[in-house]
Amino acid sequence: MEVREATPGDAAAASDVAEAAWWASCAGFLDADTVRRVLAEGYTDERLADAFGDSELYTVVAVDGAGVVVGFAIAERTWADTVDLHALYVDPDRWGEGAGAALLDSVIAYARGEECEYVRATAFEGNSVARPFFESQGFERTRTVETPVFETVHEEAVLERTV
């Protein structure tokens, strides 16, 4: 598994990864219309191409030996001592192969390079994939917040780890 800088040309493949990951990890607690709307507003090819071209964001993709994008991460230094992980998605067909850990390692290295002390992520309480993954990577819950997803509010765990 190789992790490299994301480019706008990776956006279509990353959009497909996000779609598959949202359906696999969130369909159990979000209704189908909400998942479709989240994907349509947040993870289109155009939105991801913009993010992958934004020099203020740290964006990387995980590619397999055949050069296929199997995951991506978007992070940003938001405070003097913190990098926020805005997105980390892996194709569900590739879960367990190390892509998520490799992407996270890259974000942690970025945080160290920025001389930050923490990486922060969030995960919906109902997401039985993301929370255990982050906890297995040394993240600890610091608090729970209420996050609106369109007309419905969901509890979300705020998770942090030192770098």
Side-chain angles (χ1 to χ4, degrees):
M1 200 68 55
E2 174 192 356
V3 174
R4 64 166 172 76
E5 182 179 348
T7 68
D10 296 317
S15 178
D16 291 344
V17 166
E19 180 174 356
W22 268 85
W23 284 111
S25 64
C26 298
F29 66 93
L30 294 176
D31 64 69
D33 288 337
T34 299
V35 173
R36 280 191 210 74
R37 191 169 167 195
V38 165
L39 293 167
E41 293 188 17
Y43 297 97
T44 62
D45 298 2
E46 295 80 16
R47 288 283 307 257
L48 289 174
D50 287 346
F52 291 170
D54 186 337
S55 64
E56 298 295 314
L57 299 174
Y58 179 76
T59 60
V60 289
V61 292
V63 295
D64 66 12
V68 175
V69 172
V70 299
F72 70 96
I74 301 172
E76 177 181 25
R77 182 179 183 163
T78 53
W79 298 96
D81 65 349
T82 304
V83 166
D84 277 315
L85 181 59
H86 298 305
L88 191 156
Y89 296 105
V90 173
D91 182 331
D93 291 338
R94 307 304 290 268
W95 287 350
E97 295 180 13
L103 289 163
L104 187 55
D105 287 347
S106 180
V107 170
I108 291 167
Y110 162 72
R112 284 186 185 123
E114 291 290 310
E115 299 181 356
C116 290
E117 295 178 41
Y118 305 97
V119 173
R120 181 174 43 216
T122 60
F124 288 114
E125 289 293 340
N127 187 332
S128 61
V129 176
R131 281 185 310 98
F133 168 75
F134 286 121
E135 290 165 354
S136 78
Q137 300 297 311
F139 282 75
E140 295 181 2
R141 177 194 307 262
T142 58
R143 67 187 184 283
T144 302
V145 296
E146 292 186 342
T147 302
V149 182
F150 307 115
E151 293 78 30
T152 307
V153 174
H154 294 272
E155 287 191 344
E156 200 169 25
V158 177
L159 305 144
E160 288 184 355
R161 71 161 278 176
T162 57
V163 298

